[in-house]
Amino acid sequence: MAREIYAYKCRLCDTMHYPFRMVCKNCKQNDFFEFDTVPLPKEGKLLTFTRVYNLPPQYEVPTLGLGIVELENGMRMLGQLDIDEPKAGMAVKGSVEIVRQETYDGYYGMVFRSA
Amino acid sequence: MRDVYVAGIGITTFTRLEFALSEIASYASMMALKDAGITEVDQVYVANMGAPRVNHQTALASAVVDSLSLTPAGAAAIENGPASGGSAIKAGFQAVASGMDDVVLVVGVERMREVNGLEATDFVATLTHPIAEYIYGVTLPAHAAMFTRLYMDKYGVTERHLAMVGVKNQNAALNNEWAHLQQEISLEGILDSPEAMTNNPYVAEPLRFFDACPVSDGGAAIILVSEEKAKELGRPLIKISGVGQATDTHAVHEREEPTDLLAVRKAAADAFEMAGLTPDDVDVAELHDAFTILEIVESEEVGFFPKGEGHIALEKGETALGGKIPINVGGGLKGRGHPVGATGVAQAWEIVTQLRGDGGERQVEGANVGFTCNFGGFGNNVVCLTFEKEA
Amino acid sequence: MSVDLEKILRPIPAEMAPYEPKYMLLASGEAAVVRAVDRDEIPDLLKHVEPLLHVERDYYDVVASRVYAELLSHYQYRFQDQYVLAVQVDGELAAIVNGRQVTPTLGLSLHTLALRRGLRVGAHAFAAKMEYHFDVLGHDEVLIVAESPIGFRRWMIEYKLEKRFEIPHELGGVPSWALTRELFDAARSSLVVGRRPVPPEILEKAMEAILPPSDPPTPALDPLSATRSKYDPTATALMVERWAMEGGMQDA
């Protein structure tokens, strides 16, 4: 089964949120946990990016690519980039993989590659 | 609401300080108490971000208030990321303005060099969104870098502009004996010579080593008092005339226009409105240049220059000492250093020094109105203050 | 000691080509010269290394004591095929690097000691010594270890070194890392800088004398030292000392 990262859709006004929040940013009306989960699209275009050279000690790689992607549905998300020479505006496709390893625990997040 | 005045200021050298955290805080506080000529206060606010995580110490305010023998005064620590200092000043302001307290000591302190640089980077990165940002390995330099790239594409800011801010502020620190960096740099050495790209490597593309502030230890303190008390103490009358604080989305990608820093815009507008001032009235400003790009953007968002023209003002020298609106004449975070909890208070320290006319070689002539912008998170929690000298 | 015994004790040196000096501009805009240090000049270095033995932070004590021993034994002919390079800014000593040739194809990096900080002098010095190993001595590989986290980050991560953990390094027998010619060539464009020839007036200034470093690393203040004093168990003496160093309280 392909792993997903979820957006949260308000049951009252249909506004989508990522990441999760307790109260809808648009209607501010929800009671407890009134959101439906909707998988975030995997395709999008790269809005901005960087390559980081000073990483937290948990990382054993010398550098890490990061970027903010504008997804097909207009939402944005931050993810790791597995792209040698990123360009703003390029088409990218994400997959959900382990993005951080703390002892035995892996944390899943989106890794984007050129589409 | 009562008027609030700054009656005393104190600071430690910003550098690597191998002292207990409460001693660093106490040292700055003692200087401020001595400056104000008092030995008793009603309330102590300690601004600090990392004591529990970096220094393995909690309830820092209790340690500080007792170390200073100020018991039984009230005391509380305020943790609000890099905006802790500004937030603590706001709390102190409210305490005096409300009439509840007459004398409040606000001290900011941080000791980040107790751990190595990578761990310090990770500690600061914990202020990012845990699920949508932190797990990806995002650091503050990474956020600033992605923001910079957008700004370069949209407004034509170049690496040269960033380097110009770095050179301006790091060299300004040479006039500030308390500043961390006491090393002159030149545009040739960090940008133009064949060796420059090796001297000044990327920390997060397109930001380079000399675009980022150093990791520092240090403390800064100010004493806030009521008008009656201020006149009794007889120190120069420096009034905090405007306070503004605003927040923005925790995750940076959720902001509608990614090149806007709306929290800075709103906090500054609120502070100016409360003071009845406009950005044009400001004689000297301290902006939160944790990264060089931030000085340029903040100078626009707070209203000194139109959006997208901060770097043009920089080119013309309008932000240097002697320019239209001198910014970070004491080195800013870039030159003075950035002990995160202390920074907001250190900005106030610099402005009060300027308004008192004690700036020495970095004095802005005829400074009557000062402004600080203390920027927390990546722009998700911002405190702006205005200071005015009363004759 | 008889002359004959000294002959036995002295290593027989291998032929090692000389290192041609180079210079580069630092972030401050100052020119730094990297040049080989002759055996005769070793005592001039030793007196600036000695104070660092007592700098108990960032592993200056460990590195300085080992460098001191290496330089001294080199001077006294008790070290096989060591070379020493120095970085000077306006004549002042800014960094020392040394290493040795193990075989004609294998080099070994000993130490990098920066006496001026915040300007990447140490990084330039390290790059120069790798340049000497690969471009001048013609080694295929250099064995490296780091003693400080700063060194580890610089050398291991920036150059993306390979593991040679099966080889115990001569410095303390810890597992070695290796810089290969291939990795060095990949790092060359971004990390190895410098211009030749050095303008005569700059070179002359450097060759004339090794001047003392103007702002060398100093021992950290030990916050507990006063508590160890039988006269002052409360540590206040140290705070008072600190205030005095910072020019005392501002006048109220």
Side-chain angles (χ1 to χ4, degrees):
Chain A
M1 195 191 83
R3 291 191 168 86
E4 302 288 353
I5 290 180
Y6 293 97
Y8 300 84
K9 186 176 178 181
C10 175
R11 285 181 188 161
L12 299 174
C13 72
D14 288 349
T15 304
M16 301 265 276
H17 302 281
Y18 171 76
F20 175 71
R21 54 177 68 234
M22 295 291 279
V23 175
C24 173
K25 210 178 168 198
N26 181 42
C27 68
K28 303 181 201 286
Q29 293 298 321
N30 354 38
D31 290 333
F32 187 64
F33 214 89
E34 283 190 279
F35 292 96
D36 291 319
T37 53
V38 181
L40 279 171
K42 301 265 169 75
E43 271 107 23
K45 68 178 181 34
L46 191 58
L47 187 68
T48 182
F49 58 91
T50 184
R51 177 160 291 280
V52 187
Y53 291 77
N54 281 13
L55 287 164
Q58 294 87 345
Y59 285 88
E60 290 184 354
V61 290
T63 67
L64 187 65
L66 294 166
I68 295 178
V69 171
E70 202 153 274
L71 300 167
E72 278 177 341
N73 64 356
M75 297 182 73
R76 296 195 201 112
M77 77 174 299
L78 188 143
Q80 287 183 357
L81 301 185
D82 181 10
I83 303 170
D84 282 343
E85 284 187 14
K87 297 261 182 315
M90 74 187 287
V92 292
K93 184 168 170 33
S95 86
V96 180
E97 297 170 14
I98 288 180
V99 291
R100 192 186 187 102
Q101 190 83 37
E102 302 260 352
T103 62
Y104 294 113
D105 297 326
Y107 292 85
Y108 284 93
M110 198 79 92
V111 179
F112 290 100
R113 298 187 174 81
S114 37
Chain B
M1 197 161 71
R2 299 199 294 176
D3 285 342
V4 180
Y5 292 81
V6 182
I9 56 172
I11 198 164
T12 70
T13 305
F14 282 15
T15 179
R16 180 190 183 118
L17 291 175
E18 309 205 348
F19 286 88
L21 192 60
S22 57
E23 278 181 31
I24 300 172
S26 298
Y27 179 46
S29 304
M30 289 164 75
M31 288 182 71
L33 291 164
K34 175 136 182 165
D35 179 30
I38 53 173
T39 53
E40 285 179 8
V41 306
D42 301 322
Q43 173 75 35
V44 177
Y45 285 116
V46 181
N48 172 269
M49 178 174 169
R53 188 184 163 95
V54 179
N55 314 100
H56 206 68
Q57 182 170 11
T58 56
L60 182 60
S62 311
V64 173
V65 72
D66 188 40
S67 165
L68 292 165
S69 298
L70 291 173
T71 51
I78 291 184
E79 193 275 295
N80 194 23
S84 299
S87 306
I89 294 176
K90 181 182 174 183
F93 178 93
Q94 289 167 326
V96 175
S98 67
M100 199 162 169
D101 294 318
D102 287 328
V103 183
V104 176
L105 164 66
V106 179
V107 53
V109 65
E110 205 70 61
R111 191 180 162 203
M112 310 165 71
R113 296 193 69 118
E114 183 153 348
V115 294
N116 70 44
L118 300 184
E119 282 170 45
T121 299
D122 184 52
F123 145 64
V124 179
T126 57
L127 63 79
T128 60
H129 196 289
I131 308 288
E133 295 180 336
Y134 179 75
I135 60 158
Y136 289 99
V138 168
T139 60
L140 271 289
H143 266 318
M146 290 189 283
F147 184 87
T148 304
R149 198 178 294 279
L150 291 168
Y151 227 78
M152 286 175 155
D153 291 348
K154 188 162 176 186
Y155 296 111
V157 173
T158 63
E159 287 199 11
R160 176 166 296 273
H161 293 113
L162 302 180
M164 283 168 72
V165 176
V167 170
K168 170 176 86 72
N169 292 357
Q170 185 157 340
N171 291 352
L174 296 171
N175 293 328
N176 180 357
E177 57 177 330
W178 307 97
H180 186 164
L181 299 182
Q182 297 289 345
Q183 172 66 61
E184 190 178 354
I185 55 172
S186 69
L187 268 186
E188 192 185 14
I190 67 169
L191 192 72
D192 293 333
S193 73
E195 296 87 16
M197 297 302 102
T198 305
N199 287 333
N200 192 10
Y202 283 125
V203 289
E205 290 170 11
L207 291 182
R208 294 179 176 275
F209 179 80
F210 286 102
D211 287 318
C213 63
V215 176
S216 320
D217 302 337
I222 64 171
I223 310 276
L224 302 179
V225 297
S226 61
E227 183 170 5
E228 193 187 347
K229 188 78 183 172
K231 288 184 173 153
E232 182 192 318
L233 292 171
R235 298 294 287 141
L237 287 178
I238 311 290
K239 181 172 144 184
I240 297 188
S241 56
V243 181
Q245 182 173 21
T247 51
D248 203 345
T249 63
H250 190 189
V252 172
H253 70 250
E254 279 197 279
R255 296 177 195 164
E256 213 149 284
E257 178 52 60
T259 49
D260 282 350
L261 293 174
L262 294 180
V264 176
R265 200 177 294 174
K266 173 139 194 337
D270 287 359
F272 284 126
E273 190 191 337
M274 179 173 164
L277 295 169
T278 70
D280 287 340
D281 296 325
V282 175
D283 300 316
V284 55
E286 282 282 303
L287 301 183
H288 194 106
D289 59 330
F291 304 98
T292 47
I293 182 72
L294 289 178
E295 178 173 308
I296 296 173
V297 183
E298 287 167 21
S299 72
E300 298 163 3
E301 295 286 10
V302 305
F304 295 150
F305 309 110
K307 186 79 180 163
E309 291 180 20
H311 62 290
I312 297 165
L314 170 80
E315 275 176 7
K316 291 183 191 156
E318 290 181 6
T319 58
L321 190 60
K324 180 185 152 210
I325 165 75
I327 295 173
N328 293 333
V329 291
L333 282 61
K334 166 77 186 109
R336 184 176 56 229
H338 185 24
V340 278
T343 283
V345 186
Q347 290 178 320
W349 175 89
E350 175 66 34
I351 291 297
V352 173
T353 302
Q354 289 287 336
L355 298 190
R356 284 180 177 182
D358 293 339
E361 293 201 10
R362 64 181 194 279
Q363 179 65 42
V364 175
E365 289 307 317
N368 286 314
V369 178
F371 176 85
T372 65
C373 175
N374 188 196
F375 179 95
F378 195 77
N380 51 34
N381 203 323
V382 179
V383 182
C384 291
L385 303 168
T386 63
F387 297 76
E388 288 178 68
K389 176 162 98 177
E390 290 188 358
Chain C
M1 195 183 293
S2 75
V3 172
D4 291 334
L5 186 52
E6 178 62 18
K7 267 187 188 163
I8 294 169
L9 293 175
R10 275 194 192 188
I12 299 164
E15 283 285 319
M16 285 165 73
Y19 180 82
E20 191 192 337
K22 65 173 180 178
Y23 81 109
M24 72 270 294
L25 285 194
L26 301 176
S28 59
E30 295 162 290
V33 177
V34 188
R35 67 166 178 102
V37 175
D38 282 345
R39 188 186 300 272
D40 301 350
E41 294 175 289
I42 296 285
D44 294 340
L45 294 182
L46 287 177
K47 64 184 178 221
H48 306 311
V49 175
E50 192 274 336
L52 301 178
L53 300 180
H54 311 288
V55 178
E56 294 173 9
R57 61 185 163 95
D58 297 344
Y59 294 84
Y60 265 101
D61 47 358
V62 174
V63 172
S65 52
R66 285 181 162 172
V67 168
Y68 195 92
E70 288 154 11
L71 294 182
L72 185 59
S73 45
H74 176 48
Y75 182 62
Q76 302 277 39
Y77 298 97
R78 291 296 180 274
F79 215 105
Q80 182 74 50
D81 298 333
Q82 187 180 161
Y83 66 88
V84 183
L85 308 180
V87 182
Q88 287 168 277
V89 178
D90 209 15
E92 289 176 12
L93 184 62
I96 302 170
V97 282
N98 61 349
R100 77 178 200 91
Q101 171 167 291
V102 182
T103 71
T105 55
L106 179 66
L108 185 125
S109 167
L110 288 166
H111 283 102
T112 302
L113 183 62
L115 290 92
R116 188 147 169 204
R117 304 190 67 183
L119 290 172
R120 280 183 71 90
V121 172
H124 289 317
F126 181 83
K129 99 168 146 179
M130 293 305 138
E131 187 187 24
Y132 184 47
H133 278 292
F134 289 104
D135 295 352
V136 181
L137 298 177
H139 295 160
D140 297 330
E141 189 165 305
V142 180
L143 296 176
I144 300 171
V145 288
E147 280 157 341
S148 77
I150 297 172
F152 183 82
R153 207 160 77 196
R154 278 270 154 76
W155 326 139
M156 308 304 169
I157 297 178
E158 285 185 1
Y159 288 86
K160 306 178 179 68
L161 301 187
E162 285 177 15
K163 291 173 181 172
R164 291 286 183 277
F165 283 7
E166 68 281 8
I167 307 174
H169 197 277
E170 287 181 16
L171 291 176
V174 298
S176 299
W177 297 73
L179 181 65
T180 62
R181 181 173 287 280
E182 206 175 20
L183 291 173
F184 181 68
D185 285 338
R188 197 186 281 274
S189 65
S190 61
L191 295 172
V192 186
V193 296
R195 294 177 249 175
R196 292 189 175 94
V198 183
E201 67 282 5
I202 298 180
L203 186 62
E204 265 167 40
K205 178 80 188 168
M207 300 305 289
E208 193 178 287
I210 295 173
L211 300 175
S214 52
D215 187 19
T218 48
L221 278 168
D222 176 1
L224 295 179
S225 65
T227 65
R228 294 195 204 108
S229 154
K230 61 183 173 183
Y231 303 111
D232 184 14
T234 59
T236 46
L238 196 81
M239 278 185 81
V240 171
E241 189 184 314
R242 179 73 180 185
W243 298 338
M245 281 175 60
E246 289 186 349
M249 294 281 201
Q250 285 179 341
D251 291 331

